[in-house]
Amino acid sequence: MNVLDILIVWYIIYRLIMLVKGTKAVQLVKGISLIVLIRIIAGFLNLHTLTYFVDQVLSWSVIGIIVIFQPEIRRGLEHLGRSPIFGGSTGGAKKNSEHMVHELDKAIQYMSKRRIGALITLQQSTGLDDYIETGIPLDADISGELLINIFIPNTPLHDGAVIISDNKIAVASAYLPLSDNTMIPKKLGTRHRAAVGISEVTDAITIVVSEETGGVTITRNSQFMLDLTREEYMKYLTAQLVPAEKEKPKWYQRMLNKIWNWGSNDK
């Protein structure tokens, strides 16, 4: 039981680290770690006044974290509430992912044929809150038509990246970090460098449509796949975004999950 207890705690810590990776919460974690380190040193050296002061800071920091990160905590709890905790799958996640891939394909095909430049980033396990804050909020359902309209040249939102998070178009016109990788061909422009740049610091999947050639590029984990055909990018997006078929849940699992998801938008 002690081993199980330790494993559960370490798993929770790991998930929290992955949750805050790439977000502004990383700086908060660094600050708290520094305060804890000071507390340990102060206790070791018997610095009673400093120890008391640091203890007070740590005591009130819990309330401060809840207030500062209320939106992130709310999103996390909502995500937990949508999960099928009684086993099996509700099918909602697979259906949403298939719809997203279909709408992405519709937009990519339209823009590629007409050489409309586009930059679309899909959030994965690493948070993108720092980059979402640089864009213009939309919080819109994913549709090919909306993506096409966003990237039409000389419109207010066409410059920058669209970020998709939690099956929503979170923002448009967001700024992504540019890569300094010397392996990127010189013929590729700022969109491609931004796509590689975000892949170097997060696990996001980024799609680029070239304004010059209409070619489709996908980047992830510091790698880029250049000039993909429709068959190639559809195969990749489907493999990465659409959950694999799982064993059909038993009748009691479906009933319990239906009760659990009662009142939500998931069907």
Side-chain angles (χ1 to χ4, degrees), residues 237-250:
L237 292 176
T238 301
Q240 297 297 319
L241 300 175
V242 180
E245 285 286 353
K246 296 182 179 180
E247 182 181 353
K248 187 176 180 180
K250 297 178 174 58

Side-chain angles (χ1 to χ4, degrees), residues 193-232:
R193 289 197 170 272
V196 176
I198 193 67
S199 76
E200 292 173 343
V201 295
T202 74
D203 64 345
I205 297 173
T206 301
I207 304 167
V208 184
V209 178
S210 173
E211 189 173 352
E212 287 74 23
T213 66
V216 179
T217 300
I218 293 180
T219 68
R220 191 181 192 188
N221 296 330
S222 302
Q223 299 179 342
F224 56 93
M225 294 161 278
L226 196 61
D227 292 333
L228 299 175
T229 65
R230 181 177 184 271
E231 181 181 355
E232 289 172 338

Side-chain angles (χ1 to χ4, degrees), residues 43-255:
F44 181 75
L45 298 177
N46 294 321
L47 303 177
H48 302 296
T49 303
L50 181 59
T51 299
Y52 173 80
F53 177 75
V54 174
D55 284 341
Q56 296 304 308
V57 172
L58 291 175
S59 298
W60 287 100
S61 63
V62 176
I63 299 176
I65 291 173
I66 294 174
V67 173
I68 295 172
F69 292 99
Q70 181 269 338
E72 286 80 2
I73 294 173
R74 178 180 176 180
R75 283 197 297 269
L77 292 175
E78 288 177 348
H79 178 74
L80 180 63
R82 290 193 296 266
S83 302
I85 64 172
F86 297 104
S89 173
T90 60
K94 186 175 188 296
K95 184 178 179 181
N96 290 338
S97 298
E98 289 176 340
H99 171 75
M100 177 171 65
V101 171
H102 172 73
E103 295 301 320
L104 286 170
D105 176 47
K106 187 192 303 182
I108 292 169
Q109 284 295 300
Y110 183 95
M111 293 186 289
S112 177
K113 292 176 181 177
R114 293 161 180 79
R115 297 190 179 183
I116 298 173
L119 181 61
I120 304 170
T121 295
L122 312 173
Q123 178 176 302
Q124 299 301 296
S125 59
T126 304
L128 298 176
D129 287 0
D130 285 355
Y131 309 104
I132 289 175
E133 289 178 352
T134 68
I136 298 174
L138 295 180
D139 192 29
D141 292 334
I142 301 171
S143 73
E145 291 78 9
L146 178 56
L147 290 171
I148 292 168
N149 277 317
I150 289 174
F151 289 109
I152 292 295
N154 301 320
T155 55
L157 299 179
H158 89 282
D159 191 20
V162 161
I163 297 180
I164 295 177
S165 175
D166 294 330
N167 287 307
K168 290 279 189 178
I169 299 178
V171 295
S173 195
Y175 293 99
L176 304 181
L178 299 182
S179 174
D180 295 325
N181 190 340
T182 57
M183 299 299 294
I184 301 176
K186 298 295 184 182
K187 64 178 182 178
L188 301 182
T190 304
R191 285 192 180 93
H192 290 83
R193 289 197 170 272
V196 176
I198 193 67
S199 76
E200 292 173 343
V201 295
T202 74
D203 64 345
I205 297 173
T206 301
I207 304 167
V208 184
V209 178
S210 173
E211 189 173 352
E212 287 74 23
T213 66
V216 179
T217 300
I218 293 180
T219 68
R220 191 181 192 188
N221 296 330
S222 302
Q223 299 179 342
F224 56 93
M225 294 161 278
L226 196 61
D227 292 333
L228 299 175
T229 65
R230 181 177 184 271
E231 181 181 355
E232 289 172 338
Y233 75 69
M234 282 295 289
K235 181 178 179 180
Y236 181 83
L237 292 176
T238 301
Q240 297 297 319
L241 300 175
V242 180
E245 285 286 353
K246 296 182 179 180
E247 182 181 353
K248 187 176 180 180
K250 297 178 174 58
W251 67 270
Y252 62 86
Q253 291 176 323
R254 294 197 300 270
M255 182 180 67

Side-chain angles (χ1 to χ4, degrees), residues 8-50:
I8 291 173
V9 171
W10 274 110
Y11 178 76
I12 293 173
I13 293 174
Y14 168 76
R15 296 304 302 178
L16 288 174
I17 292 173
M18 295 305 297
L19 184 66
V20 303
K21 183 180 178 183
T23 70
K24 61 184 179 181
V26 172
Q27 303 303 322
L28 179 69
V29 172
K30 290 179 180 178
I32 293 176
S33 300
L34 179 60
I35 293 174
V36 171
L37 180 61
I38 293 173
R39 172 62 179 83
I40 294 173
I41 294 174
F44 181 75
L45 298 177
N46 294 321
L47 303 177
H48 302 296
T49 303
L50 181 59

